[in-house]
């Protein structure tokens, strides 16, 4: 008996032999190869191909990538924008750019030139590149599911000139920004209308304005980053559901500089961060339902300045060590909760030996209220009269908010 | 002797006249970019193309990083319109000097991308205004319209 399906099967197997898998081709670009320009290789390549670029300097004006390719640099070949062009523009999905030095992008007051700009696409990987002396560094515009990893960015702008941000994302979703180092831009990392994004293990130093700056960007997480010596620290504005964990905010000095500036933030968590040597570690205006837990505030002018517009915030198990002022506010009514924090200025006692002070601690000194209203009064700080006033106020609170106190001050700092 | 006294009186009166002139013609206080803070949004003012300021009748200067912040600040009645002696806007083209808002020609365009997304630019020169409108596909707006 014959099996009719067997015939069909053998036929299909036979036909399968003629089906060629779409093999990805690799193109080589460089002085020693047939193709000397990256743009020429891009014309030849099709989706899924790889282009490997040899060391050298490539001055090709604007290189536009409109195919899904992998562009690899060997020994950091330089793509030079000659201060006129945008060196790399990516319009296609599934593109990888790895191992390049991209330098000297154009500069304009009308257009936002970047070293590398991603336009309205998805799944782009930008990895292990050196960006030097560009206007904007990496610019993601309307992008989804992209990875920006292990890049080093350096710019040399001064404040009088116009300067772009290091990593700039606008209207993006699900971006991963990790292990980058950004130096000398306007804002190190800038996110606007960006959602579901992770910013992890980055270093942002010596940027002219903010180390990290985000506005209208909900449901994002910022973990293990270091923000050091930036013009004005980190600014988080008009945002919901932020998670900030294990970051370092330090050395942000100046009248308008903050370790962390929070403006109109709701339902967020700020935990396990270190705030060291800032003029103001945290400035909060319009903060609602923020949970601050186990942060370390050390050596700041003000550890926390909280404006009266902030409500329902919880401060628990934080360490306040060697700050000039631990807490300052501008209002009399307080709707925030402080509990079980460690304050090095606490002078109470613990008779029942449960490691919790028996008398509450009031972190707001009278003089911090005075300075809040009249900053120049700072001149008289640490004078005998001021100390006397502060002491009196501690015993009989009249001007400072009565409710703002820690009922369970910890006697030992929390290990962080 | 008499001549000497006359000379001194003359020079004093000239000095007084000059100083009165200087008072009458209010000049905007310069914004220190990268240091000054916006009164409204608390951000550091860093972009000279959009840094604005107002001066109250009592002589206090409030600085902003975006025209939008200045408008919001006044609308929220931190300072009322009646208390303001002058509003100053930067010239988008050229050296970004501050001029009184009434002398300026305004343009709104989303491609301006100002710090707080007010996306408004001001031009002293009408030709520059027209040029920018073509380049940025902007919409001409008028300062008076904000106060209606």
């Amino acid at each position: 008996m014959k099996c009719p399906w067997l015939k069909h099967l053998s036929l299909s197997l036979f036909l399968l032999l003629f089906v060629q898998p779409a093999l990805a081709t690799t193109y080589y670009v460089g002085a020693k190869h047939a193709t000397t320009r990256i743009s020429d290789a891009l014309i030849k390549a099709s989706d899924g191909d790889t282009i490997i670029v040899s060391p050298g300097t490539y001055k090709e004006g604007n290189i536009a990538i409109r195919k899904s390719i992998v562009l690899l640099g060997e020994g950091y070949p330089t793509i030079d924008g000659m201060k006129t062009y945008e060196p790399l523009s990516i319009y296609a999905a599934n593109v990888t750019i790895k191992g390049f030095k991209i330098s000297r992008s154009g500069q304009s007051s009308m257009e936002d030139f970047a070293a590398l700009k991603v336009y309205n696409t998805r799944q782009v990987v930008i990895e292990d590149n050196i960006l030097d002396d560009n206007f904007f560094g990496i610019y993601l515009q309307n992008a989804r599911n992209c990875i920006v990893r292990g890049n080093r960015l350096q710019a040399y702008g001064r404040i009088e000139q116009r300067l772009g941000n290091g990593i700039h994302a606008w209207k993006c979703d699900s971006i991963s920004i990790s292990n980058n180092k950004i130096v000398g831009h306007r804002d190190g990392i800038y996110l606007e209308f960006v959602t579901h994004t992770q910013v992890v293990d980055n270093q942002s130093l010596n940027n002219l304005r903010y180390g990290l700056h985000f506005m209208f960007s909900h449901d994002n997480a910022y973990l293990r980053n270091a923000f050091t010596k930036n013009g004005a620290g980190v600014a988080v504005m008009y945002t919901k559901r932020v998670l900030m964990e294990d970051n370092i905010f330090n050395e942000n000095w100046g009248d308008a500089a903050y370790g962390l500036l929070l403006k109109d933030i709701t339902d967020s968590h700020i935990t396990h961060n270190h705030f060291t040597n800032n003029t103001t570690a945290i400035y909060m205006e319009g903060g609602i339902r923020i949970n601050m837990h186990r942060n370390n505030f050390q050596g700041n002018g003000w550890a926390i300045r909280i404006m009266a517009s902030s409500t329902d915030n919880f401060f628990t198990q934080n360490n306040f060590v060697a700050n000039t002022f631990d807490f300052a506010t501008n209002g009399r009514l307080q709707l925030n909760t402080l509990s079980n924090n460690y304050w090095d200025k606490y002078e109470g006692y613990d008779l029942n030996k449960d490691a919790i002070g028996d008398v509450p601690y009031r972190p707001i000194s009278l003089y911090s209220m005075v300075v809040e209203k009249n900053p120049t009064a700072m001149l008289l700080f640490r004078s005998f009269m001021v100390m006397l006033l502060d002491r009196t106020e501690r015993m009989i609170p009249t001007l400072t908010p009565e409710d703002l106190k820690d009922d369970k001050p910890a006697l030992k700092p929390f290990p962080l | 002797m008499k001549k000497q006294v006359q000379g001194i009186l003359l020079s004093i009166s000239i000095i007084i006249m000059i100083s009165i002139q200087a008072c009458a013609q209010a000049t905007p206080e310069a914004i220190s970019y990268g240091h000054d803070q916006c009164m409204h949004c608390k951000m550091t003012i860093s972009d000279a193309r959009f840094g604005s300021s107002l001066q109250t009748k009592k002589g206090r200067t409030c600085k902003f990083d975006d025209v939008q912040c200045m408008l919001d600040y006044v609308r929220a009645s931190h300072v009322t319109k009646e208390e303001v002696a002058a509003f100053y806007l930067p010239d988008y083209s050229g050296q970004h000097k501050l001029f009184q808002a009434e002398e300026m020609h305004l343009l709104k365009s989303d491609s301006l991308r100002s710090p707080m997304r007010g996306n408004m630019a001001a031009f002293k020169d009408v030709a520059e205004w027209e040029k920018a409108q073509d380049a940025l596909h902007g919409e001409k707006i008028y300062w008076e319209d904000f106060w209606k």
Side-chain angles (χ1 to χ4, degrees), chain B residues 5 12 16-17 24 40-41 55 58 68 71-72 81 85 92 102 112 115 117-118 120-121 124 132 141 147:
Chain B
V5 174
I12 288 172
I16 289 171
M17 265 161 67
H40 190 67
C41 75
Q55 198 175 33
K58 286 179 183 169
Q68 192 63 51
L71 294 172
D72 290 346
K81 174 101 184 353
Y92 189 85
E102 290 76 13
L112 282 165
R117 295 299 178 264
M120 279 176 274
K124 180 94 171 92
I141 49 172
W147 313 107

Side-chain angles (χ1 to χ4, degrees), chain A residues 247-276:
Chain A
N247 299 291
I248 296 169
F249 301 84
N250 57 358
E251 308 286 345
N252 298 296
W253 293 113
D255 189 28
Y258 306 102
L260 177 58
L261 163 65
L262 299 167
K263 174 139 174 111
D264 291 2
I265 305 297
T266 48
D267 300 300
S268 295
H269 290 267
I270 298 173
T271 50
H272 292 107
N273 299 288
H274 287 261
F275 296 86
T276 315

